[in-house]
Amino acid sequence: MILQKGERVFWGAPEVIYLEGTITQLQEESQSVVVHVERATPHSAHLIGNEIAFAAQGLQPLQGASPPGTTSERATQALPPPQFSDEEKVRRGAAVAVHQQYGYHLSPEQEQALINQVAQAINADPALRQRIIQSMDEILHRER
């Protein structure tokens, strides 16, 4: 495990579900960490302030600023998970891929052009499209 106590990490992607916070405990034997959640997407904002265990391999160190579309304001109630059409799931999956590769520093025109290209590639491969949709459904189902 290469993560360290006190390190800022994140899980997920703001286009779907995102949690960010500071590692408070390392559990070497189970390869897990406990994170104090400090930022999240609005639908996960009820988790802000909680300590949540994650598999260490599912977390990434936070480099730079938090991504757009996240909040540090704790929600008093959990919101229902967002409902997306299959086409929106593909677009959000494409956006995740673009942001993982290029960050959030592209011009809006460049960003949209790349998202459109990735979405077209996903839609051109029926098996990949179905995997993206199923993965998104599983992620969103966890929020219920």
Side-chain angles (χ1 to χ4, degrees):
M1 186 174 348
I2 57 173
L3 299 172
Q4 299 177 18
K5 190 173 180 180
E7 185 172 10
R8 295 207 31 95
V9 293
F10 70 93
W11 174 88
E15 296 80 7
V16 186
I17 295 170
Y18 177 90
L19 299 172
E20 174 187 315
T22 304
I23 295 175
T24 59
Q25 295 176 37
L26 297 170
Q27 299 167 344
E28 294 281 341
E29 64 283 347
S30 63
Q31 292 291 296
S32 64
V33 298
V34 176
V35 175
H36 179 79
V37 177
E38 297 156 359
R39 291 192 72 78
T41 46
H43 283 87
S44 298
H46 62 285
L47 298 173
I48 293 173
N50 290 337
E51 303 269 325
I52 299 178
F54 291 90
Q57 78 239 22
L59 295 172
Q60 295 292 319
L62 181 66
Q63 298 175 356
S66 300
T70 63
T71 182
S72 60
E73 298 284 326
R74 185 179 193 285
T76 56
Q77 296 180 29
L79 297 174
Q83 299 294 311
F84 301 129
S85 68
D86 286 353
E87 197 54 42
E88 182 64 17
K89 292 172 190 171
V90 168
R91 285 200 59 73
R92 286 178 180 262
V96 168
V98 168
H99 293 139
Q100 284 178 341
Q101 183 69 33
Y102 299 101
Y104 295 89
H105 308 292
L106 297 171
S107 72
E109 297 80 19
Q110 288 176 307
E111 182 178 274
Q112 286 308 307
L114 286 170
I115 289 170
N116 289 339
Q117 286 177 336
V118 173
Q120 284 177 335
I122 292 169
N123 283 321
D125 181 339
L128 177 59
R129 184 178 196 279
Q130 191 58 35
R131 279 197 316 268
I132 297 287
I133 291 167
Q134 286 176 334
S135 294
M136 191 78 70
D137 287 342
E138 288 174 17
I139 292 166
L140 294 170
H141 179 71
R142 289 182 190 138
E143 273 295 290
R144 290 187 185 137

